[in-house]
Amino acid sequence: MIEAFKDYFNRTTETVTLAFFRLAFGLMMLFSIVRFLSYGWVEKMYIKPQFHFTFYGFEWVRPLGDFTYVLFLICGLSALMVAIGYKYRIAILVFFLSFTYIELMDKTTYLNHYYFISLVSFIMIFLPANAAYSVDAYRNNAFAFQRVPAWTVDVLKLMLGIVYFYAGLAKLNSDWLEAQPLKMWLPMSGGMPVVGSFLRENWIHYFFSWSGALYDLTIPFLLLYRKTRFFGFILVVVFHVFTKMLFPIGVFPYVMIISTLIFFESGFHYKVLQWLFSKLKLDTSRFENNKVKIQGFKYTNQIKLGFLAFFMMLQLLIPFRYLLYPGELFWTEEGFRFSWRVMLMEKSGYTQFKVIDAKTKEAIHVDNSLFLSPFQEKQMSFQPDFILEYAHYLHDYYKNLGYNEPEVYVESYVALNGRLSQKYIDPNVNLAKENESFKHKTWILPFTDEIKGL
Amino acid sequence: MKKILVLLCFSVFFAACSSSDSGSDSSGDGYDRTALLTNWADNIIIPSFEDYQSKVTVLQSEVVNFNATPSEENLVAVRTAWLDAYKAFQYVSMFEIGKAEEVALVNCTNIYPTNATGIENNVTTGTYDLMLLSQYDKQGFPAIDYMINGLGTDDATIVTFYTSNGNAANYKQYLTDLTGRLKSNADLIVNDWTGSYRNTFINNNGNAVSSSVNRMVNIVVKNYEKNIRAGKVGIPAGVFSTGTTYTNKVEAYYKNDVSKVLLNEAVKATQDFFNGKHFSSSINGEGLKAYLNYLNVIKDGQSLSTIINNQFTTIFGATALLSDSFSEQIFNDNSKMITAYDELQRNVTFFKTDMMPALNITVDYVDADGD
């Protein structure tokens, strides 16, 4: 057993694969940051709103006012440094920290693919991705290796595989297999040329739902095996181009298409980088030094490998944490985030908050738009942890205005996956007295329907 | 390697072509929004405003008559014209877009309770500018209500304010100014619609946040939520004041026995708009109902348009149990008011959480990535 482990960790692969991924990842992240800045979203999402929804345990992570731009600048710069492999270890560490900080500032903007980027950049801190085709390796031959341990590439494949496979598992529920929410979403693009009229067809909704689930579940394996790899990649391109055309999902399709290239043979990555470097008139001969970076098994190496193995194990477990909660996951969203539940449900809500002075019984009906951006209000209206945090904010706000022990109640309705809206939060519970925790939130009213499956 | 690169280029090209990055304008759902807007403009909005304009014109001429010969008979005539115009207003108050938005139609036409002290003050001093924001609660139908129903307990007493009262000339002038302001607003709006605005409205047929369909739906729903549900029922019934009721905050408080009529008209107007029903005709054209049906929006096995219309039926069932005077209803049995409020509220949630997401009309615009 131990021998088998050692055997595996002693296996090596061409560094060029890792270098290719590093370059592609760094450039995509740079593009992503520039895009975010160019849309004015920093101002809109992080500077303008007077209140931000925080992650439990990370309440101290806040936007930095105008310095938020500096944070984005640092993040973009470190992405560029990662891309070219300049002071790589520091660069990827700074990228991971700055990017993750940005994502933790306000959970309104939470997206699974941002989480994916945080995880990948965290893993990359431990990988010798600068051992070839990098400024570091160019300047210092001691850093340059033509071959590196194979696990350094495999761990990234595993991460990608988890994303797809778990996204597929999450689709194995009665709503998705009965074509919800695609039944609601696809007709919204019914005006598209050529395919538009099909998007209103019921069988297309089913076809997209079932093939989407099948795609997610099988794609990691299709990409792993040499014979099916190219076919798998065609599917990757078709799938992500389609989602890009149908939904506003930003850079995610590009990130996934480019990332899956890591599954190809190193010969492909070699050709791409050779072509690129020759265009840039850069010499690559020094990277072909036949040096092999051998995996060490010293105490520190063991800790590092053990830690990464533990980290990947967590990735396998975290998406299943929802099983610890009672009630319907889609309804309570307890354990919904960080689980690769991507584009799984159509949920919309309506909330009317009421703040009551405990002494005078004076009541105020809150106009949410005075406190929240439209985006924040939308996200808040159907997620219990948002509703709770906002209720506490209202409590503090009105307390400052001189209200005696303000009580906060909410009348809320939520519609989920083609069901008619129903009452969501117990209107008789004073939310100011409830606290955030990992425990089940008893003040969420029960879901009146049942969704079967994972 | 070549094949892969070709595939990559192809994907970038396609994705770039379809780029709806900011989500603001995609090719849409294929529903003919031009036909929808045309029906709204030509068969609903413009005829409703023209009807309102003509009713206001009648009111104005009745006021001229009354001022020339202040008599109980002429007072009754003013009152009838006032109620007709007030009812017609219920059909246009939800169309606060374009010129109506510019002049703040609802604010200068139907703010209640009206400020009786302020009105008396205006009459006494004779110096006021109804264009000012501070004058919103001293004009419009509620102010006229006070002037023709609230000055005394019987018609004979009321008429004396326009005859023997020391300020009679000022009372007459104020009544003239109130109706004049209603008339000038109605004229401005109708002229704008029959002029260039109709085409502006129809040509803005996209599905961005600023498009006519998105804006109109947002405005109509907001009117239903704030002016009808809250204003006409919720606020007087104490829904927003932990049970403290306000019998004086009902619509048309001084006339007092028409608050139900006005509520029913307003709800009916909203339902007609939802169904795309032509003004004062039984023909149904393109509307939100047709739009929902086109997208085949089914909720719990029933089409959403039917659910919403059924809810309107339930609402009318609840309001039928109310007294013509909401003041009396609140005083005698407020629970029926609360029931009516709850039924009205149900359609707010149907509109906002069920209909608007299905039509991809956001409650105000959200510009960001999803996943």
Side-chain angles (χ1 to χ4, degrees), chain B residues 171-365:
Chain B
Y171 277 104
K172 285 180 183 175
Q173 186 58 44
Y174 201 66
L175 198 53
T176 305
D177 290 344
L178 291 177
T179 45
R181 179 127 164 81
L182 291 182
K183 179 69 164 59
S184 69
N185 276 338
D187 291 346
L188 276 173
I189 295 165
V190 169
N191 288 341
D192 197 42
W193 273 101
T194 51
S196 62
Y197 189 67
R198 174 195 176 270
N199 288 341
T200 312
F201 179 77
I202 292 173
N203 292 338
N204 188 4
N205 58 1
N207 52 7
V209 64
S210 57
S211 69
S212 293
V213 173
N214 287 29
R215 289 211 57 220
M216 198 71 262
V217 171
N218 264 300
I219 293 168
V220 167
V221 169
K222 189 176 151 198
N223 178 69
Y224 177 81
E225 183 181 14
K226 295 211 157 160
N227 298 336
I228 301 178
R229 177 203 64 139
K232 295 184 200 295
V233 183
I235 292 171
V239 175
F240 299 93
S241 44
T242 47
T244 309
T245 56
Y246 296 97
T247 48
N248 63 328
K249 289 190 179 178
V250 300
E251 196 172 21
Y253 170 66
Y254 296 100
K255 179 75 175 79
N256 209 270
D257 58 357
V258 294
S259 17
K260 181 165 95 174
V261 174
L262 295 174
L263 170 68
N264 280 340
E265 293 287 329
V267 176
K268 185 76 176 44
T270 309
Q271 184 181 16
D272 286 355
F273 177 77
F274 174 78
N275 287 325
K277 187 168 162 293
H278 294 187
F279 180 74
S280 97
S281 143
S282 55
I283 300 167
N284 282 346
E286 295 299 325
L288 294 171
K289 175 182 163 180
Y291 200 165
L292 285 171
N293 292 346
Y294 168 85
L295 291 173
N296 195 24
V297 181
I298 308 280
K299 293 268 184 168
D300 294 348
Q302 199 174 17
S303 72
L304 181 59
S305 61
T306 306
I307 293 172
I308 289 175
N309 269 319
N310 286 347
Q311 185 57 33
F312 274 120
T313 308
T314 309
I315 290 167
F316 286 121
T319 62
L321 301 176
L322 301 175
S323 153
D324 286 340
S325 159
F326 285 177
S327 304
E328 281 175 20
Q329 186 64 54
I330 290 165
F331 186 76
N332 294 331
D333 180 7
N334 193 41
S335 70
K336 288 203 175 67
M337 288 292 281
I338 300 291
T339 305
Y341 173 84
D342 289 341
E343 298 302 350
L344 284 163
Q345 166 66 27
R346 197 67 188 116
N347 251 353
V348 172
T349 60
F350 288 159
F351 285 145
K352 287 187 140 181
T353 57
D354 297 287
M355 179 184 82
M356 290 170 75
L359 299 179
N360 206 7
I361 296 173
T362 39
V363 181
D364 284 312
Y365 187 52

Side-chain angles (χ1 to χ4, degrees), chain A residues 35 39 41 44-45 110-114 180 183-185 187-193 200 230 233-234 237-238 241 244-251 254 257-258 261 264 267-268 271-272 275 341-344 346 348-350 352 354 356 361-365 367 374-375 377-378 411 413-416 418-423 449, chain B residues 1-5 7-8 10-24 26-31 207 225-226 229 238-244 294-302 304 307-308 341-342 345-346 348-371:
Chain A
R35 171 179 176 271
Y39 286 168
W41 285 353
K44 191 168 164 180
M45 296 182 185
Y110 170 82
L111 289 181
N112 284 292
H113 86 255
Y114 290 148
Q180 280 292 9
K183 233 180 230 178
M184 303 191 74
W185 286 344
M188 288 180 186
S189 300
M192 266 169 56
R200 284 195 298 276
F230 189 68
F233 187 65
I234 291 179
V237 170
V238 170
V241 166
K244 173 80 195 171
M245 283 159 70
L246 292 171
F247 310 113
I249 46 180
V251 295
Y254 303 119
I257 290 174
I258 304 279
L261 289 173
F264 281 91
F268 166 73
K271 279 184 196 156
V272 173
W275 173 80
R341 296 173 196 281
V342 187
M343 302 216 65
L344 258 190
E346 163 68 28
S348 53
Y350 166 88
Q352 173 69 67
K354 187 164 73 175
I356 298 179
K361 295 292 170 198
E362 190 188 338
I364 286 247
H365 280 247
D367 179 356
F375 190 28
E377 185 177 355
K378 179 187 168 194
E411 187 182 5
Y413 287 85
V414 165
L416 171 65
R419 291 176 186 79
L420 203 57
S421 53
Q422 69 163 93
K423 243 197 183 107
D449 201 356
Chain B
M1 141 128 185
K2 265 206 185 122
K3 276 194 281 185
I4 297 171
L5 285 181
L7 209 54
L8 268 184
F10 158 85
S11 71
V12 169
F13 172 75
F14 254 85
C17 281
S18 71
S19 186
S20 57
D21 240 1
S22 53
S24 58
S26 62
S27 41
D29 49 33
Y31 183 70
N207 52 7
E225 183 181 14
K226 295 211 157 160
R229 177 203 64 139
V239 175
F240 299 93
S241 44
T242 47
T244 309
Y294 168 85
L295 291 173
N296 195 24
V297 181
I298 308 280
K299 293 268 184 168
D300 294 348
Q302 199 174 17
L304 181 59
I307 293 172
I308 289 175
Y341 173 84
D342 289 341
Q345 166 66 27
R346 197 67 188 116
V348 172
T349 60
F350 288 159
F351 285 145
K352 287 187 140 181
T353 57
D354 297 287
M355 179 184 82
M356 290 170 75
L359 299 179
N360 206 7
I361 296 173
T362 39
V363 181
D364 284 312
Y365 187 52
V366 176
D367 169 27
D369 292 337
D371 73 1

Side-chain angles (χ1 to χ4, degrees), chain A residues 8 11 17 150-151 153-162 164-165 215-236 259-266 269:
Chain A
Y8 172 72
R11 249 187 258 165
T17 300
W151 70 262
V153 174
D154 290 345
V155 68
L156 292 171
K157 291 181 185 170
L158 176 62
M159 192 64 243
L160 269 164
I162 290 175
Y164 276 118
F165 192 71
Y215 164 84
D216 279 339
L217 288 170
T218 54
I219 201 68
F221 306 105
L222 292 178
L223 289 170
L224 270 179
Y225 295 107
R226 205 180 147 84
K227 282 185 179 166
T228 53
R229 190 170 296 148
F230 189 68
F231 171 67
F233 187 65
I234 291 179
L235 289 183
V236 168
S259 295
T260 51
L261 289 173
I262 199 177
F263 283 91
F264 281 91
E265 302 287 331
S266 57
H269 308 120

